Amino acid sequence: SSLELKSTTVGAHRGGASVLEMDAAWGDVLSAGKDGYLKFWRLCEGALQLQSETLASPDGGIAAACYDPAKRIAVSAGIDGRFRTWSVVGNSKEMKLLVEVGGVHRGSAVAVAHSAFCGAVITAGKDGSLRVWSALEGELVPLGAAKTGTGGQTFMALPGTQSTGRRGKVL
């Protein structure tokens, strides 16, 4: 079986798209770009249809983003170094800002991942650090940071130990 390309969407993001993630079960596609926008698309009969868009990083583009369709949460990592958690509402995929946090890493953000299993958000910074956060109840609470030892091994702080004390701004 093959998929016939019926149309293309040109100019979805000014300056290029930096993120593309698809939920194959529902045909939902999340894109993010250097223009600072997060966009939800629906793949229907081989064509992309724009469902919603929001300016997620007004002070720069988006370096990374992820979407958990089961929990209906999206997380974006801005080039400005700020991480934002979004509630994805209804079939129209409208995005409402839940949490915004900055100063997590020295410099800009480079990656973000979300685990539906435990509700954790893992962020990566240009400074080489990784941080693990709880995304439960609409609040990002730092759980710890990964550190590289002198022998190149990586250590991850366990929940409740070595917390950085930073909290996200819940909106």
Side-chain angles (χ1 to χ4, degrees):
S1 146
S2 65
L3 177 67
E4 179 183 337
L5 182 63
K6 298 202 177 203
S7 68
T8 58
T9 302
V10 179
H13 290 280
R14 288 184 322 275
S18 54
V19 174
L20 190 60
E21 187 171 312
M22 180 175 173
D23 174 19
W26 295 99
D28 294 328
V29 177
L30 173 68
S31 69
K34 294 182 179 181
D35 57 5
Y37 279 88
L38 270 180
K39 297 183 180 189
F40 269 102
W41 306 82
R42 171 65 48 97
L43 180 60
C44 185
E45 298 180 7
L48 288 173
Q49 300 168 347
L50 182 64
Q51 290 185 291
S52 70
E53 64 183 338
T54 191
L55 183 58
S57 185
D59 297 326
I62 298 173
C66 60
Y67 173 55
D68 178 353
K71 297 205 185 274
R72 303 186 67 80
I73 289 177
V75 181
S76 61
I79 292 172
D80 61 2
R82 301 189 73 74
F83 293 90
R84 296 167 177 93
T85 300
W86 305 86
S87 173
V88 181
V89 181
N91 291 333
S92 67
K93 302 290 189 270
E94 179 185 353
M95 291 168 272
K96 296 188 181 230
L97 185 61
L98 293 175
V99 177
E100 180 176 356
V101 62
V104 176
H105 301 280
R106 289 184 300 275
S108 65
V110 295
V112 63
H114 179 265
S115 168
F117 177 71
C118 65
V121 173
I122 302 171
T123 61
K126 196 171 186 176
D127 61 1
S129 67
L130 299 175
R131 301 229 185 266
V132 180
W133 303 80
S134 168
L136 302 175
E137 299 177 11
E139 189 172 7
L140 291 176
V141 180
L143 299 176
K147 298 189 179 176
T148 303
T150 56
Q153 68 275 39
T154 300
F155 300 95
M156 182 67 72
L158 297 174
T161 65
Q162 297 182 337
S163 174
T164 62
R166 294 191 190 275
R167 288 192 179 270
K169 178 180 175 187
V170 179
L171 303 173

